[in-house]
Amino acid sequence: MKRVLITACLLAVMAALGLATVAQAVQPASKPFIHVSPSPSRLDLGTAVSPGFYDVPKALTLNIDSNCLHGPIVISASNLKRHPGGYIPAGRIFVRSSATSGFVNLDRPVAVSRPEVGSHKIVVDVQVLTGFSDMAGRYSGAFTVTVMPPV
């Protein structure tokens, strides 16, 4: 975002100095955009029968629609909260994509893609580590998907 603002300021200065023809040649034909849509929009984690690593039955697909270069797509997660009480920490939620070396825990945000130009899909496999202390019940949480600026 900062890079775009600086460029816009430079173009305004160049136009003021009579270099408008140079400024017109640099401006893009359309405004850059990036749109991310997850599929499914709600991910059912299923039922873990016993403690251990549990593969979520359906992968999360991130559909990226873009007309410009963007940085990596990063995913993070909240704790899985049990209703009425208890939780599974985000550090026991794992993701895997073509940009990771196997499953990586979500203690911290994880890059699930590399910088790309244009539209593409990212398939993210999800795994949860359950323990004996995790009570049966309904858990809920959220993934946050962030598009980083290109470097």
Side-chain angles (χ1 to χ4, degrees):
M1 188 65 141
K2 191 181 258 185
R3 199 176 277 167
V4 172
L5 291 175
I6 292 169
T7 303
C9 291
L10 287 174
L11 292 176
V13 169
M14 289 169 60
L17 295 174
L19 300 174
T21 55
V22 174
Q24 288 175 348
V26 176
Q27 290 182 351
S30 62
K31 291 185 179 182
F33 70 87
I34 301 169
H35 178 73
V36 179
S37 60
S39 177
S41 59
R42 299 184 75 112
L43 186 64
D44 183 358
L45 300 180
T47 304
V49 179
S50 60
F53 287 96
Y54 176 74
D55 292 323
V56 173
K58 186 171 174 96
L60 176 65
T61 301
L62 302 174
N63 299 298
I64 314 300
D65 190 20
S66 170
N67 69 348
C68 61
L69 172 66
H70 59 78
I73 306 294
V74 175
I75 193 167
S76 60
S78 66
N79 293 334
L80 297 176
K81 295 179 184 170
R82 182 179 170 272
H83 304 286
Y87 70 96
I88 296 174
R92 289 200 278 143
I93 303 169
F94 298 79
V95 294
R96 175 180 66 190
S97 74
S98 61
T100 64
S101 299
F103 280 99
V104 180
N105 76 36
L106 290 174
D107 268 339
R108 296 181 176 167
V110 172
V112 292
S113 79
R114 293 175 177 81
E116 292 230 12
V117 176
S119 300
H120 57 99
K121 291 183 181 191
I122 304 165
V123 176
V124 180
D125 296 312
V126 181
Q127 194 177 64
V128 178
L129 175 59
T130 60
F132 284 109
S133 62
D134 298 322
M135 302 294 289
R138 176 168 282 207
Y139 289 78
S140 63
F143 289 107
T144 302
V145 176
T146 307
V147 177
M148 302 302 289
V151 258

